[in-house]
Amino acid sequence: MSDELPAEDRKIITLARSTRARNGVPEGAAVRDETGRTYVAGTVALESLSLSALQTAVAMAVASGATSLEAAAVVSEAEAVPDVDRAAVRDLGGADTPVLLAGPDGTVRATVTAG
């Protein structure tokens, strides 16, 4: 993980990475709301409900009363953040919200905006 990232961004990557490993899911994600609270989630894959880790983390933030997001992070083998995940972040945080994509080792591979 890059030490050049702000500490708060390193934190959400670490939380996302830990959730992915602990739960044995394809992705882990974390978001930080406007007050600095973090929400962490893994992929949900039920017969009747499928959500990416980032969609789940955003849903947890909304359900907890968050009104905006400062940043989001996802740890995944994927090469890009899917548009549907960026849309979930955009719905709560706005188009300029940064979304960090890190590999399983925590190395940031891309930073995109939700827009």
Side-chain angles (χ1 to χ4, degrees):
M1 190 177 332
S2 174
D3 289 334
E4 297 174 17
L5 286 175
E8 290 298 314
D9 289 347
R10 286 195 312 266
K11 175 183 173 182
I12 61 173
I13 291 170
T14 298
L15 291 169
R17 187 175 178 218
S18 297
T19 294
R20 179 182 183 271
R22 181 178 56 251
N23 295 339
V25 291
E27 295 180 339
V31 298
R32 184 175 62 249
D33 75 7
E34 74 282 359
T35 67
R37 291 178 298 184
T38 56
Y39 306 88
V40 182
T43 309
V44 174
L46 300 173
E47 188 172 317
S48 63
L49 178 65
S50 295
L51 296 170
S52 71
L54 196 49
Q55 290 172 323
T56 306
V58 170
M60 291 174 65
V62 170
S64 297
T67 59
S68 185
L69 295 177
E70 291 181 350
V74 62
V75 174
S76 174
E77 300 262 354
E79 295 298 319
V81 180
D83 290 342
V84 67
D85 286 2
R86 291 175 49 233
V89 173
R90 184 175 55 245
D91 285 350
L92 185 57
D96 293 331
T97 306
V99 181
L100 307 164
L101 173 62
D105 65 354
T107 300
V108 177
R109 296 194 308 239
T111 301
V112 298
T113 62

